[in-house]
């Protein structure tokens, strides 16, 4: 039986994160070595290539099977960049052409900007690093951004969130193309957890403070200092020196959230701090951030971060 060669390409564009380019290559190389073991009956072989675009001509600059034929790439990965979103519109025709030929396109972190620029994500779900949430929503409103997800797999297009999510993407591709046994072997060898799905518990609330509305900023500073106190929207409007409706409208415009949502985010963030740096009981923490009913705090925490307070403490506590 003839071997099936699956080519996994990595786009090595200017300022691409080289640790991701080489790390993915090593990860796929380990999967290939697993497939080569005598006890494995798989006929699959992995070909790993790096690609660059020069004067609109795409070419392999690294290839683990240089004598293989030039069959269609199975997957092309756009890795992250530590220099911010890449401004490489010239790559869009190359990506579009590959996609039309059946190549699976994948991105990590800001690599998704290239996919979005190509129009291939229009009307589809995608993710990227949580800190680019506002930028991508503004720049690419036609994309259905789901930033809480670490991986969004549309079958033919896969997007991964944070900079190090290349490990999750790589393992997911190994599982799809080489099977779960191969993926688990690689993850154990590299001391990596199997692919995760969410990144929202890494993304703590950062309030908008550069909006220029001094009255609303005064309220925000007060809330930061008094978050555990009972409050009403009417009291906050009086603090801002505004009529109630005017205050609500200006607060929503400046902060991007209504007052209730904003306070919930502040309280969850303060709860995260106390869970991470103290050993206070969760009931006490709930009270210190403004919840007399610890059950309400636990439900809000779980809904916001996808982890219970106890799970968050076990994962992120400095004493763990």
């Amino acid at each position: 039986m003839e071997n099936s060669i699956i080519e996994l390409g990595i786009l090595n564009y200017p300022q691409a994160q080289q640790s991701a380019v080489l790390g993915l290559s090593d990860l796929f190389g380990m999967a290939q070595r697993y497939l080569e073991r005598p006890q494995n009956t798989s006929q699959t072989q992995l070909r790993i290539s790096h690609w660059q675009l020069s004067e609109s001509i795409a070419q392999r600059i690294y290839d683990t099977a240089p004598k293989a034929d030039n069959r269609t790439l199975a997957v092309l990965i756009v890795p992250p960049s530590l220099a911010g979103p890449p401004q490489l519109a010239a790559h869009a025709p190359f990506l579009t052409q590959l996609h039309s030929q059946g190549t699976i396109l994948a991105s990590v972190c800001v690599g998704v900007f290239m996919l979005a620029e190509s129009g291939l994500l229009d009307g589809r779900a995608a993710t990227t690093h949580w800190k680019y949430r506002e930028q991508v929503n503004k720049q690419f409103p036609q994309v259905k951004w789901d930033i809480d997800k670490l991986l969004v797999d549309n079958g033919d297009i896969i997007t991964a969130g944070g900079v190090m999510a290349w490990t999750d993407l790589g393992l997911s591709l190994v599982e799809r193309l080489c099977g779960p046994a191969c993926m688990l072997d690689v993850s154990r060898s590299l001391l990596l957890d199997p692919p995760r799905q969410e990144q929202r518990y890494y993304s703590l609330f950062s309030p908008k403070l550069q909006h220029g509305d001094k009255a609303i900023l005064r309220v925000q500073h007060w809330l930061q200092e008094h978050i555990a106190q009972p409050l009403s929207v009417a009291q906050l409007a009086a603090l801002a020196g505004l009529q109630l409706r005017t205050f609500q409208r200006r607060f929503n415009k400046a902060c991007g959230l209504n007052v209730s949502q904003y306070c919930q985010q502040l309280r969850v963030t303060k709860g995260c701090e106390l869970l991470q740096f103290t050993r206070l009981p969760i009931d006490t923490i709930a009270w210190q951030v403004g919840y007399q009913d610890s059950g309400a705090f636990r439900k809000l925490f779980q809904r916001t971060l996808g982890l219970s307070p106890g799970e968050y403490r076990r994962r992120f506590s400095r004493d763990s």
Side-chain angles (χ1 to χ4, degrees), residues 205 219 222-223 227 229 231 236 251 257-269 289 291 300:
F205 177 60
V219 172
W222 187 89
L223 286 172
I227 190 57
Q229 292 187 14
L231 53 89
L236 295 178
F251 191 95
L257 300 168
N258 63 38
V259 174
S260 176
Q261 292 167 334
Y262 186 90
C263 291
Q264 287 177 348
Q265 291 287 350
L266 282 183
R267 287 168 170 167
V268 168
T269 300
V289 301
Y291 288 92
L300 172 66

Side-chain angles (χ1 to χ4, degrees), residues 218-219 232-244 247:
R218 183 163 62 250
V219 172
S232 71
V233 179
Q235 289 172 323
L236 295 178
L239 180 62
L242 299 171
Q243 295 295 319
L244 181 59
F247 169 72

